[in-house]
């Protein structure tokens, strides 16, 4: 029963449901060092694996000699490709329809590639022994520049498929060509450009970066020879898919494979794919009969575990002189490294790059993407973004600024002139998507007013004059970014991973005391699922969130789902959660009616229970109904109160936002200081505003890192430059700007609670905001496009190119 | 990132430490805060068979004033240096520099002696010691001696220390009257080595520069004393024109390598910018 005298507001408050700034319950253990990560796991007799890796980017392996490594006391096994071959595990399929060497046997194709897996009784011995593996190489010319990949004289990297002209995504034109992906109307777009009053064209590169989660990839594999069962604890963003793929690859029946993803210290797309370390730990456990732990170190993570981006985008916009866009054409050269190991839905070799029309009403558009091989680590994962959405948003947001610059229009103004209007939703884009909902003009206006945009532009003009008069060596840049994301993959009609539709699931059980256990097919890596799913359940069922335990990551207990990435948990599993709750609520209503001795149509749900319509004093709390579900169900109804839902979303969701960045650039050093950063996000219904703000802070920090310094760079020999946090730019709290957050709410019309997902928006929208600010600072001096990353020396060099460093 | 095996020693006296270093001449390395050595060991770029930890030797600790000079025990941590009010009053440049070394965790462990003695061109204290004309007190099995900081650095990780010797203390003369000093560092982020950094000290007499010293961090295989740059300022009126000339002279001796912070020409130019800014700050502090 409700406490006597509790107001409706007090009853709502007790639930800690949707819209509440509930503190993250997982943080109780995280902030006390009581998280339970893979590397915390210690099993009796556990062995440790370590890799011997290639120092060369491209070389033929003449001989591998493991004699010395095997001879070291404490070494239990050394695996090479020869050992994996009989098990057909020397190669493994990738999510992108390619194959990847688990251990290189004949050729190495990138620096840091795995050659031998050493297993020893302790971690230090494993490292010592890995150093003792001897490999004789014949060096081959590396292929570092993707623009040279399809040159007639380019070295052929993938000899295993050199004669294959039909790839997983159509024709291959060159041994180093992976696919061409084409979308849109080529002819109509060409016509638009022929008729255009003005057009711009720019090569916009989004450099290779790395998700670099704080916890690297790791696994403990334990094979039980008696039962024939395999248990793997690992850093898996998608544990169920790992189990299915594992069953197909190993031949072990799926029900005898137990995949457990415990607490995960950040994923950002890095932990979606399957890596050689996982496979080798499993094989080593099968071979030795002991549990085997593999934990990659930071250098290995940055060197060999999936990178992100590396998209070289040539964007063209056709427009009228008044600044109305009439066509978009983009060609992308996509550097995939040595294997195509992108983690995209299987039919989408360039992810959802066709969101590249962005927030603008382009009547026609045409996109082609060429994927190519280079002598670099494989990857191309969605680093805190839906698949290739960050690349697309960066491309269109830079291109719109370039068009504005050419037309001498304000960057905010050109966006306002071209936004899809509120009344156009659901909006069908020229590249085939159906945007669910949006109100771009309102969001943009709110953002511009919040920062005092016009006053900033006035100040900027004054500073430009002072700079011209040599009274200052500081320039001011104002970056405008308005992004539209496409998240929540996805509808079975167009999204699957290796044939499995990309639904997600929730299984919810209400116990007699009104306590709830809920399990989902997703897997939090720090997003706060334990907190937010419980809030949805609280609102839907009227049980306080504190009485809900959320569990994910164990394939034995959780319902099948496709995991957490691409901001999909809220659009898919949260929808499943609401759907399962509604099934439970329907049954609870029957029970409540039975208890109240009225027809079930005569009762209605009210915050935390049911009441008789028109007689609010006659009510039963959900807690009372839960108890009754186990002893007093109406005749014909089964006891118990639980439901499962597998939710196949009818559409993606399309979060959007307006970001503004104000930057002061010290021309003498190239140091760009962020004075102000304002982020307005519209992610539909807001489940937990505090968690949204936290997600935005984190995503903006990553966007800042990417735009202002991150780069996985190689020298001309294919040596990776600086694969550690000494060199790879990971800003600390000291360098990280202050973030201002704001919002509008445009619910998704097709999602049960109207939510859209937010975790990745700040990375998607943030990168162009920073980059546009740097470019904006120099635009008045004639700069058109300055490539990322905007670290001090590159900014200094950009100024030098404009003659400012004499 | 997994170091090779080593034997760990933790002596309580300087003679014990010297004996251990002497007993394993090829294999032993002294370790203080470990913030240079341990990363090298984790990369297996350094594989010492024996580590002699100086952390338990009481005689190497402490900050004291002695005969007009300040003496810093070699294992004084950056955090202890930062917290010392007397030192901050007389030689604020030391505190200013220490606060620009990495982050609080590193400063809690990292020592002044290690920073100075390791010979790492990226370390910040060597340039400051060159600038302040500090003297290093050194102990070896043959006895104790002193070496001027200005005679200590020979190249990357190469110093005037003989095998088996350790730095026990650093003696810094009190600055002249009407002097100001500054350390200015350009870095991308906390924990980075400097893209370029400069230490400058100058004193004024009658509105003109009477004494001046300038030193550079991380733009050559070792910290550099920019003697010509400083000499050119003697007698000059402090100001943008004089400092620009000094910066140009400093750039002329800088010989940086290209690295993740940028190409060599950029880093050389940044050495000049840092010199200009350090001189301007020093002049302001000197009352100019």
């Amino acid at each position: 029963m409700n406490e006597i005298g509790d107001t409706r507001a007090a009853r709502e408050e007790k639930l800690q449901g949707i819209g509440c700034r509930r503190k993250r319950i997982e943080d109780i253990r995280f902030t006390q060092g009581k998280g339970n990560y893979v590397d915390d796991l210690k099993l009796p007799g556990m062995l440790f694996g370590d890799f011997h890796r290639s120092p060369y980017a491209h070389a033929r392996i003449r001989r591998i000699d493991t004699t010395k490594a095997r001879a070291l006391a404490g070494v239990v096994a050394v695996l090479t490709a020869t050992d994996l071959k009989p098990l057909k595990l020397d190669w493994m399929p990738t999510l992108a329809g390619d194959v990847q060497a688990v251990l290189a046997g004949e050729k190495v194709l990138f620096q840091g590639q795995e050659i031998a897996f050493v297993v020893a009784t302790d971690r230090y011995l494993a490292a010592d022994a890995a150093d003792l593996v001897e490999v004789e190489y014949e060096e081959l010319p590396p292929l570092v520049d993707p623009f040279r990949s399809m040159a007639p004289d380019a070295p052929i990297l993938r000899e295993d498929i050199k004669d294959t002209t039909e790839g997983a995504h159509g024709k291959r034109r060159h041994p180093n060509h992976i696919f061409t992906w084409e979308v849109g109307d080529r002819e109509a777009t060409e016509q638009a450009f022929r008729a255009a009053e003005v057009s711009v064209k720019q090569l916009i590169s989004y450099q290779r970066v790395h998700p670099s989660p704080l916890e690297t990839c790791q696994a403990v594999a334990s094979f039980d020879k008696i039962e024939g069962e395999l248990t793997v604890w690992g850093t898996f963003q998608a544990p169920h898919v790992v189990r299915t793929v594992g069953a197909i690859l190993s031949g072990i029946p799926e029900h005898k494979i137990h995949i457990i993803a415990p607490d995960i210290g950040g994923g950002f797309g890095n932990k979606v794919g399957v890596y050689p370390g996982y496979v080798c730990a499993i094989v080593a456990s099968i071979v030795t009969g002991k549990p085997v732990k593999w934990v990659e170190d930071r250098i290995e993570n940055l060197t060999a575990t999936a990178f992100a981006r590396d998209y070289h985008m040539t964007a063209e916009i056709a427009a009228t002189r008044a600044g109305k866009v009439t066509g978009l054409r983009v060609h992308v050269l996509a550097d995939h490294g040595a294997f195509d190991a992108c983690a995209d839905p299987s039919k989408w070799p360039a992810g959802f790059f066709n969101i590249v029309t962005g927030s603008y009403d382009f009547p026609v558009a045409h996109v082609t993407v060429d994927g190519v091989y280079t002598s670099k680590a494989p990857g191309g994962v969605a680093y805190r973004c839906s698949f290739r959405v960050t690349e697309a948003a960066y491309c269109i947001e830079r291109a719109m600024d370039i068009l504005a610059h050419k037309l001498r229009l304000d960057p905010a103004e050109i966006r306002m002139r071209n936004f899809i209007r509120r009344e156009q939703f659901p909006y069908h884009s020229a590249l085939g998507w159906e945007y669910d909902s949006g109100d771009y003009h309102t969001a943009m206006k709110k953002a511009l007013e919040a920062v005092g945009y016009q006053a900033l532009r006035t100040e900027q003009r004054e500073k430009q004059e002072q700079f011209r008069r040599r009274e200052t060596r500081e320039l001011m840049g104002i970056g405008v970014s308005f992004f539209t994301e496409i998240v929540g993959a996805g509808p079975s009609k167009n999204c699957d991973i290796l044939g499995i539709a990309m639904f997600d699931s929730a299984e919810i059980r209400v116990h007699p005391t009104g306590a709830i256990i809920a399990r989902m097919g997703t897997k939090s890596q720090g997003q706060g699922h334990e907190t937010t799913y419980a809030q949805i359940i609280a609102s839907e069922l009227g049980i306080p969130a504190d009485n809900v335990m959320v569990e994910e990551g164990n394939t034995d207990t959780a319902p099948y789902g496709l995991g957490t990435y691409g901001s999909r948990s809220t659009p898919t599993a949260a929808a499943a959660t609401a759907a399962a709750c509604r099934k439970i609520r329907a049954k609870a209503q029957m029970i409540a009616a039975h208890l109240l001795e009225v027809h079930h149509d005569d009762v209605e749900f009210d915050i935390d229970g049911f009441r008789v319509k028109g007689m609010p004093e006659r009510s039963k709390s959900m807690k009372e109904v839960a108890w009754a579900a186990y002893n007093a169900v109406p005749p014909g109804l089964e006891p118990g109160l639980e439901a499962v839902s597998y939710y196949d979303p009818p559409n993606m969701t399309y979060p959007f936002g307006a970001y503004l960045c104000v930057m002061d650039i010290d021309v003498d050093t190239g140091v760009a200081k962020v004075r102000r950063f304002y982020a307005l996000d519209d992610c539909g219904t807001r489940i937990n505003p505090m968690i949204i703000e936290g997600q935005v802070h984190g995503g903006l920090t990553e966007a800042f890192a990417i735009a202002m310094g991150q780069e996985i760079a190689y020298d001309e020999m294919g040596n990776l430059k600086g694969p550690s946090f000494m060199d790879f730019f990971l800003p600390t709290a000291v360098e990280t700007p202050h973030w201002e957050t704001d919002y509008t709410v445009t619910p998704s019309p097709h999602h049960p609670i109207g939510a859209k997902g937010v975790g990745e928006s700040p990375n998607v929208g943030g990168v162009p905001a920073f980059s546009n600010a740097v470019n904006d600072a120099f635009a008045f001096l004639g700069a058109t496009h300055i490539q990322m990353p905007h670290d001090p020396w590159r900014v200094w060099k950009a100024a030098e190119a404009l003659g400012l460093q004499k | 990132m997994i170091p090779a095996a080593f034997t760990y020693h933790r002596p309580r006296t300087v003679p014990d430490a010297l004996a251990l270093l002497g007993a394993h001449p090829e294999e032993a390395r002294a370790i203080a805060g470990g913030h240079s050595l341990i990363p090298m060991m984790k990369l297996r770029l350094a594989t010492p068979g024996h580590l002699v930890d100086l952390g338990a030797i009481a005689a190497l600790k402490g900050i004291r004033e002695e005969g007009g000079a300040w003496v810093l025990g070699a294992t004084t941590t950056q955090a202890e240096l930062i917290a010392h009010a007397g030192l901050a009053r007389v030689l604020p440049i030391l505190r200013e520099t220490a606060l620009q070394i990495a982050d609080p965790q590193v400063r809690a462990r990292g020592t002044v002696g290690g920073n100075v003695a390791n010979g790492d061109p990226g370390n910040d204290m060597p340039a400051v010691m060159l600038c302040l004309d500090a003297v290093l007190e050194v102990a070896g099995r043959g006895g104790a001696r002193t070496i001027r900081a200005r005679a200590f650095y020979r190249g990357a990780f190469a110093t005037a220390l003989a095998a088996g010797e350790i730095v026990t203390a650093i003696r810094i003369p009190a600055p002249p009257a009407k002097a100001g000093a500054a350390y200015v560092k350009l870095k991308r982020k906390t924990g980075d080595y400097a893209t370029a950094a400069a230490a400058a000290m100058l004193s004024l007499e009658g509105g003109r520069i009477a004494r001046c010293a300038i030193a550079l961090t991380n733009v050559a295989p070792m910290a550099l004393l920019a003697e010509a740059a400083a000499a050119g300022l003697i007698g000059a009126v402090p100001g943008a024109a004089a400092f620009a000339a000094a910066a140009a002279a400093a750039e002329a001796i800088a010989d940086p390598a290209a690295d993740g912070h940028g190409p060599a020409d950029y880093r050389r130019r940044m050495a000049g910018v840092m010199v200009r800014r350090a001189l301007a700050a020093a002049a302001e502090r000197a009352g100019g």
Side-chain angles (χ1 to χ4, degrees):
Chain A
M1 268 316 271
N2 307 320
E3 302 284 335
I4 304 287
D6 262 5
T7 60
R8 296 180 63 80
R11 286 161 62 202
E12 295 256 16
E13 172 74 24
K14 268 190 190 159
L15 294 180
Q16 299 274 294
I18 292 171
C20 168
R21 300 178 70 88
R22 182 180 186 225
K23 282 195 177 169
R24 290 166 36 117
I25 54 166
E26 44 274 88
D27 287 354
I28 297 167
R29 64 177 190 277
F30 292 154
T31 55
Q32 296 183 51
K34 299 291 184 191
N36 177 32
Y37 299 91
V38 173
D39 201 19
D40 292 322
L41 188 67
K42 292 174 179 66
L43 297 177
M46 190 167 74
L47 304 174
F48 298 82
D50 197 2
F51 280 111
H52 180 91
R53 294 173 181 275
S54 169
Y56 297 111
H58 191 198
R60 204 171 302 288
I61 296 173
R62 287 279 177 227
R63 191 176 61 90
I64 302 173
D65 187 346
T66 61
T67 316
K68 285 183 187 162
R70 284 173 202 275
L72 189 71
V75 172
V76 180
V78 182
L79 302 177
T80 64
T82 312
D83 303 301
L84 299 183
K85 209 169 194 148
L87 304 166
K88 297 199 174 74
L89 284 173
D90 50 337
W91 291 79
M92 62 179 181
T94 70
L95 292 174
D98 196 359
V99 290
Q100 173 175 356
V102 175
L103 291 172
E106 285 149 27
K107 260 177 89 169
V108 289
L109 291 164
F110 64 94
Q111 189 182 57
Q113 190 177 351
E114 300 83 355
I115 294 174
F117 189 70
V118 176
V119 184
T121 51
D122 87 41
R123 179 69 187 87
Y124 291 83
L125 284 174
D128 291 345
D131 276 357
L132 295 175
V133 173
E134 293 173 329
V135 184
E136 200 181 296
Y137 298 95
E138 175 196 336
E139 280 187 73
L140 298 169
L143 176 52
V144 179
D145 180 0
F147 288 88
R148 283 209 59 240
S149 283
M150 290 197 278
D153 62 339
I156 293 171
L157 301 178
R158 291 289 299 279
E159 286 170 22
D160 58 310
I161 52 165
K162 69 178 189 322
D163 299 320
T164 312
T165 53
E166 195 68 30
H169 304 285
K171 284 261 173 291
R172 298 172 66 225
R173 300 200 301 276
H174 184 284
N176 296 328
H177 182 232
I178 309 171
F179 64 84
T180 298
W181 187 65
E182 183 174 4
V183 62
D185 189 333
R186 178 193 289 267
E187 230 166 81
T189 306
E190 279 172 4
Q191 175 54 30
F193 276 87
R194 276 194 297 272
E197 293 173 10
V198 288
S199 66
V200 290
K201 180 177 184 177
Q202 180 64 49
L203 170 65
I204 298 166
S205 283
Y206 196 144
Q207 77 275 14
R208 180 176 280 232
V209 297
H210 200 283
S212 55
L214 204 52
E215 177 203 39
T216 58
C217 290
Q218 34 203 273
V220 176
S222 182
F223 185 69
D224 179 339
K225 281 192 174 167
I226 308 298
E227 302 290 342
E229 293 191 35
L230 172 69
T231 306
V232 185
W233 294 261
T235 43
F236 304 128
Q237 290 181 232
H240 292 277
V241 181
V242 170
R243 182 178 60 170
T244 302
V245 173
I248 293 166
L249 284 187
S250 69
I252 302 171
E254 198 168 359
H255 66 285
K256 292 200 168 188
I257 299 179
H258 316 286
I259 300 292
I260 300 166
D263 283 333
I264 295 181
F268 313 117
N270 214 210
K271 294 169 180 168
V272 172
V274 171
Y275 296 108
Y278 302 153
V279 178
C280 287
I282 292 167
V283 173
S285 181
I286 293 170
V287 168
T288 64
K290 299 268 176 64
V292 175
K293 179 184 273 190
W294 168 73
V295 175
E296 67 178 357
D297 69 26
R298 181 60 56 194
I299 292 175
E300 292 178 297
N301 179 256
L302 286 169
T303 303
T305 297
F307 74 94
R309 325 297 193 226
D310 219 344
Y311 256 35
H312 305 277
M313 307 172 283
T314 304
E316 295 172 84
I317 299 180
T320 66
R321 265 182 222 99
K324 188 87 183 75
V325 297
T326 55
L328 175 71
R329 184 159 55 199
V330 183
H331 176 260
V332 180
L333 181 67
D335 183 341
H336 285 233
F339 307 101
D340 187 9
C342 288
D344 295 316
S346 297
K347 294 188 196 81
W348 299 87
F352 304 150
F353 186 80
N354 53 329
I355 193 72
V356 70
T357 51
S359 314
Y360 313 107
D361 189 11
F362 278 97
V364 291
H366 181 243
V367 167
T368 46
V369 181
D370 278 307
V372 296
Y373 292 120
T374 58
S375 330
K376 301 178 194 170
V381 295
Y383 167 14
R384 205 173 185 141
C385 69
S386 194
F387 315 97
R388 301 297 188 183
V389 172
T390 312
E391 291 91 328
Y394 182 62
C395 180
I396 187 64
E397 287 306 289
R398 273 304 302 133
M400 287 301 279
D401 262 26
I402 292 164
L403 177 65
H405 182 60
K406 177 157 186 171
L407 292 169
R408 299 188 178 283
L409 274 175
D410 185 277
E413 176 58 28
I414 200 160
R415 285 170 171 80
M416 293 293 261
R417 286 186 195 178
N418 288 288
F419 278 149
I420 299 160
R421 295 184 313 279
R422 186 170 49 191
E423 63 273 17
Q424 287 177 279
F425 291 93
Y427 173 80
H428 293 266
S429 80
L431 293 175
W433 295 117
E434 182 188 311
Y435 293 26
D436 59 349
S437 63
D439 185 353
Y440 299 166
H441 287 95
T442 299
M444 188 66 157
K445 274 183 205 148
K446 186 174 182 182
L448 296 175
E449 280 165 26
V451 300
Y453 185 75
Q454 289 310 325
L456 286 168
R457 286 290 176 200
T458 305
E459 182 191 349
Q460 183 187 36
R461 277 190 295 275
E462 284 163 7
K463 286 207 86 160
Q464 287 168 353
E465 287 311 309
Q466 288 166 12
F467 187 86
R468 286 186 200 278
R469 293 195 301 266
R470 296 169 186 268
E471 291 164 11
T472 179
R473 288 285 285 166
E474 198 173 81
L475 287 175
M476 182 176 163
I478 303 167
V480 179
S481 161
F482 197 102
F483 64 94
T484 294
E485 267 198 290
I486 170 168
V487 307
S492 58
K493 62 178 184 272
N494 47 22
C495 292
D496 70 276
I497 289 193
L498 305 175
I500 302 165
M502 292 182 73
F503 58 83
D504 223 292
S505 60
E507 182 186 285
I508 300 172
R509 189 170 303 155
V510 186
H511 295 289
T513 60
I516 292 175
I517 178 144
R519 297 188 173 104
M520 286 79 182
T522 48
K523 176 60 208 170
S524 181
Q525 307 119 42
Q527 291 91 336
H529 288 180
E530 291 169 48
T531 306
T532 47
Y533 285 142
Q535 288 181 254
I536 297 168
I537 294 167
S539 286
E540 291 285 339
L541 289 183
I543 294 283
D546 284 347
N547 294 356
V548 180
M549 184 170 87
V550 171
E551 206 181 80
E552 299 174 297
N554 185 334
T555 54
D556 285 352
T557 54
Y560 203 105
L562 278 282
T564 293
Y565 42 86
S567 290
R568 67 186 299 281
S569 300
T570 293
T572 61
T577 299
C581 284
R582 289 171 192 182
K583 290 183 190 176
I584 290 171
R585 206 164 76 192
K587 182 173 179 181
Q589 185 164 343
M590 306 284 281
I591 298 168
H594 180 62
L595 295 174
L596 291 162
E597 297 179 325
V598 294
H599 189 271
H600 60 80
D601 283 344
D602 293 331
V603 297
E604 61 188 359
F605 184 71
D606 178 44
I607 303 177
D608 51 7
F610 295 91
R611 63 182 180 190
V612 177
K613 285 177 185 169
M615 300 173 74
E617 72 285 355
R618 289 195 62 200
S619 65
K620 287 287 169 190
S621 72
M622 188 57 96
K623 196 174 167 183
E624 289 171 304
V625 172
W627 184 259
Y630 290 85
N631 60 23
V633 291
L637 208 62
E638 288 178 6
L641 197 56
E642 63 181 78
V644 57
S645 169
Y646 284 79
Y647 186 82
D648 181 5
N651 190 4
M652 308 279 188
T653 61
Y654 297 77
F656 60 93
Y659 289 1
L660 295 164
C661 174
V662 185
M663 215 178 248
D664 295 305
I665 294 174
D666 177 348
V667 175
D668 284 337
T669 59
V671 172
K673 197 169 160 49
V674 175
R675 186 202 302 180
R676 192 168 178 194
F677 197 102
Y678 168 92
L680 180 148
D681 276 281
D682 191 322
C683 56
T685 301
R686 292 157 61 84
I687 300 166
N688 181 327
M690 186 198 71
I691 285 184
I692 291 171
E693 287 160 19
Q695 289 285 308
V696 172
H697 286 194
L700 287 176
T701 304
E702 286 181 329
F704 170 72
I706 290 167
M708 305 312 287
Q710 280 192 353
E711 186 185 23
I712 293 287
Y714 293 82
D715 71 12
E716 66 283 0
M717 293 307 293
N719 299 307
L720 179 54
K721 298 201 271 188
S724 82
F725 286 162
M726 284 296 290
D727 293 288
F728 188 70
F729 180 57
L730 207 71
T732 72
V734 175
E735 292 77 41
T736 301
H738 174 74
W739 310 119
E740 295 171 55
T741 57
D742 204 345
Y743 62 96
T744 55
V745 177
T746 312
S748 169
H750 62 76
H751 187 280
I753 62 167
K756 288 188 171 185
V758 75
E760 306 173 327
S761 294
N763 201 327
V764 172
V767 172
F770 293 110
S771 185
N772 281 348
V774 172
N775 277 282
D776 182 68
F778 292 102
F780 79 109
L781 297 165
T784 310
H785 176 69
I786 301 167
Q787 298 286 11
M788 285 198 295
H790 304 299
D791 49 359
W793 78 264
R794 287 185 175 90
V795 173
W796 189 91
K797 282 277 182 192
E800 186 187 42
L802 294 167
L804 306 179
Q805 305 291 11
K806 283 167 189 150
Chain B
M1 301 291 267
I2 302 288
F6 56 87
T7 306
Y8 176 77
H9 307 274
R10 194 168 168 87
R12 301 199 152 266
T13 67
V14 171
D16 285 354
L18 296 175
L20 283 164
L21 290 168
H24 311 282
E26 302 299 320
E27 281 192 278
R29 287 285 303 269
I31 184 167
H35 277 87
S36 294
L37 185 55
I38 290 173
M40 302 278 273
M41 289 169 63
K42 287 171 82 170
L43 294 168
R44 298 196 176 206
L45 294 172
T47 52
H50 294 265
L51 272 191
V52 181
D53 186 345
L54 306 179
I57 303 174
L60 297 179
K61 291 185 189 298
I63 299 172
R64 62 185 191 277
E65 200 182 354
E66 196 179 278
W70 283 83
V71 181
L72 314 179
T75 59
T76 302
T77 64
Q78 309 293 353
E80 288 162 351
L81 185 155
I82 288 163
H84 198 280
L87 191 66
R89 220 167 21 247
V90 183
L91 287 161
I93 187 179
L94 292 175
R95 184 169 189 275
E96 181 176 52
T97 305
L99 281 170
Q100 295 181 69
I101 296 172
D103 51 50
Q105 290 94 323
V106 170
R107 298 196 288 263
R109 297 285 306 170
T111 67
V112 182
N115 199 288
V116 167
N118 200 36
D120 185 338
N123 283 350
D124 295 287
M125 284 294 175
V128 176
M129 298 307 167
L130 294 179
C131 183
L132 299 177
D133 200 10
V135 173
L136 311 187
E137 297 183 356
V138 170
R141 287 220 283 180
R145 63 178 179 132
T146 60
I147 310 172
R148 274 180 82 184
R150 291 178 181 182
F152 187 74
Y153 299 103
R154 303 269 167 89
F157 300 97
T159 68
L161 279 183
E165 281 188 323
I166 59 168
V167 171
T168 56
I170 301 151
R171 182 177 292 268
I172 304 166
K178 285 209 79 178
Y183 187 70
V184 181
K185 179 177 180 178
L186 178 63
K187 58 180 177 179
R188 291 178 314 165
K189 65 172 172 66
T190 301
D192 264 11
Y193 286 131
T195 304
M201 190 193 65
L202 55 81
S203 68
L204 299 174
E205 278 173 27
R208 289 180 182 273
I209 296 170
R211 290 174 61 180
C212 181
I214 300 167
L216 312 175
T217 294
N218 213 24
V219 287
M222 57 184 180
L224 296 178
L225 188 67
E227 290 174 283
L233 285 173
I234 304 301
V237 176
F243 296 160
E251 283 178 30
I253 64 162
D255 183 22
D259 68 4
H261 300 90
D265 65 330
Y266 169 72
R267 298 188 58 207
R268 184 180 300 109
R269 290 288 292 273
M270 289 311 100
V273 175
M274 294 302 104
V275 165
R276 267 197 283 138
R277 293 181 180 181
L279 285 167
E284 195 184 321
R285 290 166 187 179

